[in-house]
C-alpha cells in the first residue's frame, strides 16, 4: 500500500477512534497491547470492536458511549479494538471470544477472560439505537 493511502485511512478513521476515546475507552492498537491488558485484567471489561461501517457510526458507537456514560453500574474497564485498521489487535482480542464468530462492529462484556455477554453485528445493524443501548445497559446491570 502507498504511504498516501495509509495516511488517508489514518485521517479518515481518527474521528471514529476519537468518539470512543473521548468517552473513556482505552484503545488497544496492537497485539501486544491486547495481550498485556488481557493477561493482567481483573473484574469486568466492556469491549467495543469498532468499524468504519455505517452501523458502527450510527448505532454501535453512540449506543456504547451513552450506555457507559449513563448506566448505573459500570464495568471496571472499557476498551476498544478497530477491525480493519488494527488487524492484529482485533484478531488477538477475538481469540478471547471463544466460540464466537468474528463480527464487526460488535461488543463484549467480559469478566476476566470469560465472555458474559456478546452483541454481534446482526444485533446492531437495523436495530433501533435505543434497543442496542438497553441491551448494553441490561448486561452492565446484570454483570457489573
Amino acid at each position: 500500500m502507498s504511504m498516501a493511502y495509509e495516511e488517508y485511512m489514518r485521517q479518515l478513521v481518527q474521528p471514529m477512534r476519537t468518539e470512543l476515546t473521548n468517552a473513556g475507552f482505552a484503545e488497544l492498537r496492537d497485539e501486544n497491547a491486547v495481550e498485556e491488558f488481557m493477561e493482567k485484567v481483573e473484574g469486568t471489561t466492556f469491549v467495543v470492536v469498532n468499524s468504519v461501517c455505517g452501523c458502527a457510526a450510527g448505532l454501535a458507537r453512540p449506543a456504547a458511549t451513552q450506555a457507559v456514560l449513563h448506566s448505573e453500574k459500570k464495568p471496571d474497564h472499557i476498551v476498544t479494538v478497530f477491525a480493519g485498521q488494527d488487524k492484529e489487535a482485533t484478531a488477538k482480542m477475538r481469540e478471547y471470544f471463544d466460540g464466537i464468530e468474528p463480527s464487526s462492529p460488535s461488543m463484549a462484556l467480559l469478566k476476566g477472560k470469560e465472555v458474559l455477554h456478546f452483541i454481534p453485528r446482526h444485533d446492531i445493524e437495523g436495530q433501533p439505537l435505543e434497543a442496542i443501548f438497553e441491551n448494553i445497559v441490561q448486561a452492565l446491570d446484570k454483570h457489573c
Side-chain angles (χ1 to χ4, degrees):
M1 270 186 254
S2 75
M3 293 299 285
Y5 175 78
E6 289 178 24
E7 181 57 28
Y8 170 77
M9 289 306 295
R10 273 193 291 279
Q11 290 177 19
L12 178 71
V13 302
Q14 190 54 52
M16 299 171 202
R17 293 179 184 279
T18 302
E19 186 173 357
L20 291 173
T21 58
N22 280 350
F25 284 80
E27 274 193 301
L28 303 176
R29 305 257 330 238
D30 60 40
E31 184 176 356
N32 289 335
V34 172
E35 200 167 281
E36 285 177 24
F37 176 81
M38 292 301 292
E39 291 307 312
K40 296 176 186 175
V41 73
E42 293 182 8
T44 54
T45 303
F46 182 53
V47 181
V48 173
V49 178
N50 201 353
S51 175
V52 298
C53 70
C55 64
L59 298 169
R61 288 192 302 270
T65 58
Q66 292 306 303
V68 167
L69 292 172
H70 297 290
S71 83
E72 210 169 284
K73 295 187 177 181
K74 311 279 187 206
D76 298 308
H77 311 278
I78 54 175
V79 300
T80 181
V81 293
F82 206 126
Q85 301 302 307
D86 301 328
K87 294 176 185 175
E88 294 82 13
T90 304
K92 189 63 174 176
M93 182 58 77
R94 285 177 172 156
E95 289 178 14
Y96 294 97
F97 303 163
D98 191 38
I100 298 173
E101 285 289 316
S103 180
S104 57
S106 61
M107 301 173 220
L109 182 61
L110 310 173
K111 182 164 188 162
K113 297 176 190 169
E114 177 189 0
V115 177
L116 302 174
H117 188 78
F118 190 80
I119 304 171
R121 180 187 178 111
H122 71 262
D123 287 342
I124 296 169
E125 188 174 37
Q127 300 298 314
L129 179 62
E130 298 79 14
I132 303 161
F133 171 87
E134 280 302 317
N135 188 340
I136 299 165
V137 169
Q138 287 175 5
L140 297 176
D141 285 347
K142 181 178 179 180
H143 299 291
C144 294

